[in-house]
């Protein structure tokens, strides 16, 4: 048996180049990509806003010296109120988001893609992207200081210090990997949602104080489902208990009405079977509001 050297096989046709999805390279920095990135931030914002609004209900009822549970609000009912609030907030912000995307699309078209390329280059600069994320995250501390009635220069200093010295370097390190970039978007969205939630909680608390002082709720408190309902209260024999004034009906709990009497600045519980409500009015408007409590006209 002899060994024979086989001639080398003739070269076959070259393998066709792997096709890439059309427009993949051009997609970076495009309007479509911006919309996809925004979608990953919306959910953390919504979750954070929901959590803060839940705490806002406690702040509202604390103005009247009770808890939401003592006014008959359960977690399910609060969830229903907040879902409606989030839907209204979404419907309000959606046109604004659409306007921003439309303006960006028009600018990108006018500049023949130059705007998208500039955005792409900016995103490829790790320190610049980290600085933008840190600045947006500072909104959470701006909202928190607003709840504490801190305004002016201290707020700006706090936001700059937190963003520059506490978040910039961690965000820069997260930009080193794709999973880190995704985590930074989620964290930034959550902190922006916390800041927005703090602002809404502040408006809810201001609305509760306005109801307490003048009987008139603001728009945010109304959107969260707070019932600004006033009524004259009588016992089952027809005797007027509210002494010519109307009490704020806070809710029902365990077979009893829960009222707030502005004249005495106290919370009153009355059994439903032995209580009659008259001259009921929702969101009243008074020509001459008095400090907490209104004489019947």
């Amino acid at each position: 048996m002899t060994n024979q050297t086989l001639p080398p096989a003739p070269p076959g046709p070259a393998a066709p180049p792997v096709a890439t999805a059309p427009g993949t390279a051009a997609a970076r920095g495009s309007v479509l990509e911006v919309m996809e990135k925004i979608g990953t931030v919306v959910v953390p914002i919504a979750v954070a806003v929901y959590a803060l609004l839940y705490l806002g209900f406690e702040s509202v009822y604390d103005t009247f010296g009770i808890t939401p549970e003592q006014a008959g609000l359960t977690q399910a009912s609060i969830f229903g109120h907040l879902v409606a609030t989030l839907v209204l907030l979404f419907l309000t912000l959606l046109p604004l988001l659409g306007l921003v995307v439309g303006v960006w699309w028009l600018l990108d078209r006018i500049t023949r893609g130059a705007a998208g390329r500039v955005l792409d280059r900016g995103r490829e600069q790790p320190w610049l992207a980290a600085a933008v994320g840190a600045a947006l995250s500072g909104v959470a501390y701006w909202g928190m200081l607003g709840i504490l009635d801190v305004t002016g220069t201290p707020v700006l200093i706090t936001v700059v210090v937190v963003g520059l010295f506490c978040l910039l370097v961690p965000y820069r390190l997260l930009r080193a990997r794709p999973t880190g970039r995704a985590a930074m978007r989620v964290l930034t969205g959550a902190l922006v949602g916390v800041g927005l939630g703090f602002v809404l909680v502040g408006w809810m608390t201001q609305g509760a104080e306005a109801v307490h002082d003048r009987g008139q709720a603001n728009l945010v408190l109304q959107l969260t489902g707070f019932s600004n309902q006033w009524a004259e209260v009588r016992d089952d024999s027809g005797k007027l208990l509210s002494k010519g004034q109307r009490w704020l009906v806070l809710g029902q709990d365990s077979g009893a009405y829960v009222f707030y009497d502005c004249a005495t600045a106290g919370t009153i519980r009355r059994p439903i079977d032995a209580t009659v409500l008259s001259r009921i009015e929702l969101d009243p408007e008074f020509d001459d509001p008095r400090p907490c409590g209104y004489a019947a006209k």
Side-chain angles (χ1 to χ4, degrees), residues 95-113:
L96 179 61
L97 177 60
L99 179 62
V100 172
V101 172
V103 170
W104 177 256
W105 174 83
L106 182 60
L107 179 63
D108 191 50
R109 284 303 183 93
I110 293 176
T111 59
R112 296 184 179 182

Side-chain angles (χ1 to χ4, degrees), residues 185-269:
R185 285 197 300 270
V186 172
L187 183 58
T188 301
L191 290 175
V192 169
V194 168
L196 180 59
F198 274 130
V199 172
L200 293 176
V201 168
W203 287 345
M204 290 174 64
T205 304
Q206 291 176 4
E209 293 173 351
V211 171
H212 178 278
D213 297 336
R214 302 184 301 275
Q216 298 174 350
N218 59 17
L219 179 61
V220 175
L221 193 61
Q222 293 174 355
L223 292 179
T224 55
F226 179 83
S227 180
N228 183 27
Q229 186 179 66
W230 297 75
E232 286 185 349
V233 182
R234 302 175 184 270
D235 60 14
D236 52 356
S237 63
K239 180 182 177 181
L240 185 63
L241 301 176
S242 53
K243 298 179 181 179
Q245 296 183 346
R246 280 177 284 180
W247 290 350
L248 175 63
V249 185
L250 291 173
Q252 304 177 25
D253 179 47
S254 302
Y257 285 118
V258 182
F259 301 102
Y260 184 77
D261 180 9
C262 282
T264 60
T267 304
I268 301 172
R269 294 175 60 90

Side-chain angles (χ1 to χ4, degrees), residues 262-287:
C262 282
T264 60
T267 304
I268 301 172
R269 294 175 60 90
R270 288 278 308 172
I272 294 177
D273 296 338
T275 305
V276 178
L277 305 183
S278 61
R279 301 187 71 241
I280 302 173
E281 188 173 1
L282 186 64
D283 293 323
E285 294 184 3
F286 297 93
D287 297 331

Side-chain angles (χ1 to χ4, degrees), residues 130-142:
V132 172
L136 291 175
S137 300
V139 173
Y141 298 91
W142 171 72

Side-chain angles (χ1 to χ4, degrees), residues 39-191:
T40 62
V41 178
V42 170
V43 173
I45 291 178
V47 172
V49 170
Y50 172 80
L52 266 297
L53 286 179
Y54 189 90
L55 297 178
F57 266 94
E58 296 185 351
S59 176
V60 166
Y61 284 93
D62 182 67
T63 305
F64 303 99
I66 62 173
T67 63
E69 291 76 14
Q70 290 174 331
L73 288 178
T74 62
Q75 291 186 356
S77 60
I78 293 178
F79 177 77
H81 290 315
L82 295 184
V83 167
T85 304
L86 291 178
V87 169
L88 292 173
L89 184 63
F90 172 76
L91 293 177
T92 303
L93 295 180
L94 183 60
L96 179 61
L97 177 60
L99 179 62
V100 172
V101 172
V103 170
W104 177 256
W105 174 83
L106 182 60
L107 179 63
D108 191 50
R109 284 303 183 93
I110 293 176
T111 59
R112 296 184 179 182
R117 291 191 293 271
V118 170
L119 177 63
D120 190 31
R121 293 194 191 98
R123 290 175 51 204
E124 290 176 353
Q125 301 297 323
W127 284 108
L128 179 60
V132 172
L136 291 175
S137 300
V139 173
Y141 298 91
W142 171 72
M144 181 183 67
L145 292 176
I147 288 289
L148 300 176
D149 292 330
V150 180
T151 59
T153 305
V155 175
L156 179 60
I157 293 176
T158 302
V159 171
V160 170
V161 168
V162 171
L164 186 61
F165 295 100
C166 302
L167 298 177
L168 181 60
V169 173
Y171 280 1
R172 169 61 184 87
L173 296 177
L174 287 175
R175 298 290 302 177
R177 300 191 178 191
T179 54
R181 291 193 288 271
M184 193 191 87
R185 285 197 300 270
V186 172
L187 183 58
T188 301
L191 290 175

